[in-house]
Amino acid sequence: MRLGSGTFATCCVAIEVLGIAVFLRGFFPAPVRSSARAEHGAEPPAPEPSAGASSNWTTLPPPLFSKVVIVLIDALRDDFVFGSKGVKFMPYTTYLVEKGASHSFVAEAKPPTVTMPRIKVDNNVTRHLDKVLKRGDWDILILHYLGLDHIGHISGPNSPLIGQKLSEMDSVLMKIHTSLQSKERETPLPNLLVLCGDHGMSETGSHGASSTEEVNTPLILISSAFERKPGDIRHPKHVQQTDVAATLAIALGLPIPKDSVGSLLFPVVEGRPMREQLRFLHLNTVQLSKLLQENVPSYEKDPGFEQFKMSERLHGNWIRLYLEEKHSEVLFNLGSKVLRQYLDALKTLSLSLSAQVAQYDIYSMMVGTVVVLEVLTLLLLSVPQALRRKAELEVPLSSPGFSLLFYLVILVLSAVHVIVCTSAESSCYFCGLSWLAAGGVMVLASALLCVIVSVLTNVLVGGNTPRKNPMHPSSRWSELDLLILLGTAGHVLSLGASSFVEEEHQTWYFLVNTLCLALSQETYRNYFLGDDGEPPCGLCVEQGHDGATAAWQDGPGCDVLERDKGHGSPSTSEVLRGREKWMVLASPWLILACCRLLRSLNQTGVQWAHRPDLGHWLTSSDHKAELSVLAALSLLVVFVLVQRGCSPVSKAALALGLLGVYCYRAAIGSVRFPWRPDSKDISKGIIEARFVYVFVLGILFTGTKDLLKSQVIAADFKLKTVGLWEIYSGLVLLAALLFRPHNLPVLAFSLLIQTLMTKFIWKPLRHDAAEITVMHYWFGQAFFYFQGNSNNIATVDISAGFVGLDTYVEIPAVLLTAFGTYAGPVLWASHLVHFLSSETRSGSALSHACFCYALICSIPVFTYIVLVTSLRYHLFIWSVFSPKLLYEGMHLLITAAVCVFFTAMDQTRLTQS
């Protein structure tokens, strides 16, 4: 079966997405779960241990508190309460921590510190608080405040809005605490107020990674039961966030959740009698030991389980002694020993269960790796055919169905599947799939293997030797080709080191800078030294309906851009050498200067992320005027560079849309209008953002309409070019809306570099579609980091997902966040489609580009999943390597969408056939 190179590459990437999805599901382990279910009622609590004597305590202990109020402040960092900000903005809370009846902890959240996004203005939580506090028909009250997290995502932890929000939260806490204290006279038990956060906040205002600022949160338990003596200084102790569930269950007289891996915070119960303390600790250790038995086959050898058994025996001896004589020094000393033994057992059991979370589903990981490997092998073997002039290749899809090898492989894979799934001691995602789904994956893997064997046989029999470009037998490797090859190999190899993963932006900055130097050297050689006596231009004239038209040629047939025959004017080559020669020579250095300016805009990575940059300077409240001027100039540059290829209607829509972008940023307070320099009217900007969305959709609709028209009118090449540019313009307008104001220069410089390279590098020099594709890919990756992104999840700007939304809507929020994050690669890929479609009359350019794009994305994906598999027990596997793995998976999904767009636009060859 004959397939176009683009269609073949798109299918390969789609299969690769399936493989990486299976791998990710196996790599990221499922949490520890209890197999016990509450179908037959609640399980009775474990009885109190006894050594020969009968115990009379077989029920749950009574609750310790009458009412419990939990105040969860999203993104509450520990230093917001225990640091200088707490002293300044939360004085009442600070007093309770330092001198009041409270216990303070620093609760550590496990990375990745990612939570589902939500929007809820905080007034909706507070406005019902007075009514609820006056009522007495509740036992537990939970208040979730999201405003602090929202401020952090928009403005960062140093925003003046942070202090206002903390002061608001302090007043809420004072109101709740005062109310609870006044009602304690009516209840026999004290009340409990809990202040906590789900995660912290990085220095950029986000979260998701494992930095100290993101994982450390305050946990404050306030109750009259925790009265302290004068001079009793209680410093916050470090605990695990998972300890909260077990502690609250004990406090409320409820069973500890079966899946909890936390341990009781002992200061909460240290004021209770010894027998109650031991009973609480015994219930906690029994629950953890049962969870360990259900998830660890060799649980009896676990140190925590052995400590638990010893503690239980000592506890039984203490109960026997307690029933005989309730007051003695021996009883107290033995009880203290049992107490310490239980606490050690709890700590060890909790650590053992937490370690079980790092158990990998190796079978699912191997299945995903095999699928990705088969796809990459097939792409590499198909290079000689895929890059030929016709951009077609023979895919032996019919042979697997009649091949003995195909059925043998299916039988072997089925046997392996049965053996693995029946002998697995831990849960396996791939084994949990239905036989239809698992069988489909095995059939796919078998078919790919048979196709690889067939293609490999043809390559070996044909004896094709690899050349730089299979389209031209006489083509040879240039310095640029060697740079592309070595740069790609170097980037792939760098992924094996954690430091290079953390600072990957440096790799891409180095590659694009080196590329600019190589292009500079190539322009000098073409203009001063020549190239085998051939003219240095890669453009020639094709006779069309409107006379001579400049067109890009894949072949070496015609290399000079000439004017209409019969005119006495000089050739464009001569004009280019005269008027634009110096601009062509200077363009690589201008691009280098632009890249250097962009590097100083956003410090990213890990090593230098804390250092001040131009972005921090612009976003400070003292420089709002400078930010406003820069944003306005950037939007003006965007309009000037984009409008040149748009229709009059799209030009007007683009102008109004960019104006709406500035109005939106002014409405939310990021920039200001000249006539309202001190405006304090800040809103969500919902109307302004939706105003821009209307123009984005309008421009995209106009471009899509022109593309559909161009398919009906095959000869109307200009209509297709305009349609592609308008789609590109719509994406640029959307990026301008989602980018923060200080990042608008990134968008403007991206367009400027594309314009310079189009006019002064790609047109004058003889670059084929593969080279141009790789250059677009490299610059797209560099601009991903110029935006301020990194391989750290905390740098994902999720505020882009809420632009124009007043409530959380999952699909639009996900799509907007993904586009805002990957705007750089997407815009450069979109520009590549337009460039090849407008400058090339050959029907193979887009197919070649799609194939090269798929190949250059697939190589690092496969290499990286092999690396993380071999480094899965590395110290930085969760903090460094696993976030990068998520980025690679998402990038592959974006690549699949890009390849679909390439294939959809590659219609010239089909129309001609």
Side-chain angles (χ1 to χ4, degrees), residues 561-799:
L561 181 65
E562 299 176 348
R563 298 185 63 87
D564 291 338
K565 294 182 179 180
H567 295 273
S569 58
S571 67
T572 306
S573 174
E574 296 173 357
V575 175
L576 193 64
R577 285 180 178 273
R579 187 177 61 184
E580 299 181 352
K581 173 181 178 180
W582 297 109
M583 191 62 196
V584 171
L585 296 176
S587 57
W589 299 99
L590 291 176
I591 296 170
L592 270 175
C594 293
C595 292
R596 184 62 191 90
L597 288 173
L598 290 173
R599 289 184 63 173
S600 61
L601 186 63
N602 291 304
Q603 289 283 2
T604 185
V606 173
Q607 306 240 356
W608 294 279
H610 63 282
R611 299 182 64 180
D613 52 34
L614 187 57
H616 283 90
W617 185 83
L618 288 169
T619 53
S620 65
S621 57
D622 297 332
H623 304 105
K624 186 174 288 188
E626 291 85 347
L627 178 62
S628 302
V629 173
L630 184 62
L633 289 176
S634 299
L635 292 174
L636 181 61
V637 171
V638 169
F639 176 74
V640 171
L641 294 177
V642 174
Q643 57 85 29
R644 56 190 173 86
C646 296
S647 63
V649 175
S650 295
K651 285 183 182 180
L654 179 65
L656 292 174
L658 293 174
L659 180 62
V661 169
Y662 191 88
C663 293
Y664 165 72
R665 290 298 171 183
I668 65 174
S670 299
V671 298
R672 60 178 62 157
F673 289 113
W675 57 89
R676 288 197 306 177
D678 298 324
S679 176
K680 297 182 179 180
D681 298 332
I682 298 178
S683 68
K684 293 183 179 179
I686 301 295
I687 297 177
E688 292 84 353
R690 292 179 178 177
F691 175 80
V692 180
Y693 282 136
V694 170
F695 290 111
V696 170
L697 294 176
I699 295 174
L700 292 176
F701 175 77
T702 303
T704 305
K705 180 190 68 175
D706 291 342
L707 286 177
L708 294 176
K709 277 187 179 180
S710 69
Q711 300 307 316
V712 177
I713 309 173
D716 200 345
F717 180 76
K718 183 179 179 181
L719 191 62
K720 179 180 179 180
T721 303
V722 173
L724 284 172
W725 186 261
E726 287 180 335
I727 289 180
Y728 173 71
S729 304
L731 295 178
V732 169
L733 179 57
L734 180 60
L737 175 63
L738 301 182
F739 277 18
R740 298 196 183 197
H742 76 277
N743 261 347
L744 287 175
V746 176
L747 184 61
F749 275 118
S750 176
L751 298 173
L752 180 61
I753 291 175
Q754 290 173 357
T755 303
L756 289 173
M757 297 196 74
T758 299
K759 189 172 183 180
F760 301 115
I761 293 180
W762 292 325
K763 285 185 179 181
L765 301 176
R766 292 190 295 267
H767 293 141
D768 56 27
E771 292 172 336
I772 294 174
T773 301
V774 174
M775 283 188 266
H776 274 83
Y777 177 82
W778 281 18
F779 272 99
Q781 291 298 102
F783 272 88
F784 172 82
Y785 294 102
F786 284 146
Q787 291 175 231
N789 293 317
S790 71
N791 289 326
N792 189 328
I793 299 178
T795 56
V796 176
D797 184 12
I798 66 170
S799 65

